[in-house]
Amino acid sequence: MFKTFKRQWLTIIFPILVLMAITNPSAEDYYSYAYQGVKKNIHSQDICQGSEDSLHSKFRLPKNYCKGLCTPIADNFLQQHSEEVLSIITSNSSRYNYILFSIFILDEDNVIKAIRYQINPELEEKARKFFKEKKGDKVFQEIEQLGSNGEIGNAPSVISQFSAIGVFGNFLL
């Protein structure tokens, strides 16, 4: 009876263990998966948030516009520089392979910082260009004045006008 139970147990467990070993993902599969995750979560992660804060403080641009400027640049970077992003992910990942399964650890904070570092020059260049072009605009001067007075929250119509300019400005830059 014990031999029969042992044989049944082995007949069930052995195929499961073999299946686990076969389906254990390779490092390349994980990096591809991580790349898709970074690409998908670019909007919700801190990549643009840190850049928005930097542009907001450096150029005194509304955060609304800074986010509208950052997101397309970040998306473009992820699309056109996939090998570089994969390299960043690879250098910030660890794999512990136990044959039947693997544990992958990704240092997301360093990946975010590295991508932010890569897109910041282009982002600052576009913000600087926009800042110089719009310095004379009445809407921009109103926002600048309200921002320096701390009254930016009391001017929703000016912000919405500026946001529309920011959206169309992305296409013109």
Side-chain angles (χ1 to χ4, degrees), residues 30-47 74-75 77-79 82 84-86 88-90 92-93 106-116:
Y30 171 74
Y31 299 142
S32 176
Y33 169 78
Y35 170 72
Q36 293 302 324
V38 167
K39 200 167 124 179
K40 177 180 157 191
N41 296 324
I42 187 86
H43 304 288
S44 61
Q45 300 263 340
D46 295 313
I47 294 170
D75 287 341
F77 178 80
L78 288 173
Q79 294 296 327
S82 59
E84 195 170 334
V85 174
L86 279 171
I88 291 170
I89 290 171
T90 302
N92 289 291
S93 296
L106 176 65
D107 187 351
E108 292 178 14
D109 291 337
N110 282 344
V111 170
I112 290 169
K113 288 175 187 175
I115 293 173
R116 188 182 302 147

Side-chain angles (χ1 to χ4, degrees), residues 66-147:
C66 296
K67 182 174 183 162
L69 183 63
C70 177
T71 303
I73 291 174
D75 287 341
N76 189 32
F77 178 80
L78 288 173
Q79 294 296 327
Q80 293 184 359
H81 301 281
S82 59
E83 292 298 320
E84 195 170 334
V85 174
L86 279 171
S87 173
I88 291 170
I89 290 171
T90 302
S91 64
N92 289 291
S93 296
S94 301
R95 178 184 187 196
Y96 301 98
N97 188 5
Y98 298 105
I99 299 173
L100 298 178
F101 64 95
S102 294
I103 298 175
F104 291 93
I105 300 173
L106 176 65
D107 187 351
E108 292 178 14
D109 291 337
N110 282 344
V111 170
I112 290 169
K113 288 175 187 175
I115 293 173
R116 188 182 302 147
Y117 178 77
Q118 295 294 323
I119 67 170
N120 268 346
E122 181 181 355
L123 193 57
E124 285 190 11
E125 178 185 327
K126 286 197 176 192
R128 191 173 288 113
K129 181 179 177 185
F130 180 80
F131 183 78
K132 286 179 182 177
E133 288 175 0
K134 299 299 177 186
K135 190 72 173 156
D137 285 1
K138 182 181 177 188
V139 173
F140 189 81
Q141 288 174 351
E142 287 179 36
I143 289 177
E144 191 175 49
Q145 182 181 8
L146 290 170

Side-chain angles (χ1 to χ4, degrees), residues 154-172:
N154 299 329
S157 63
V158 175
I159 297 285
S160 62
Q161 289 173 356
F162 190 72
S163 296
I165 291 170
V167 169
F168 294 115
N170 284 338
F171 295 109
L172 299 175

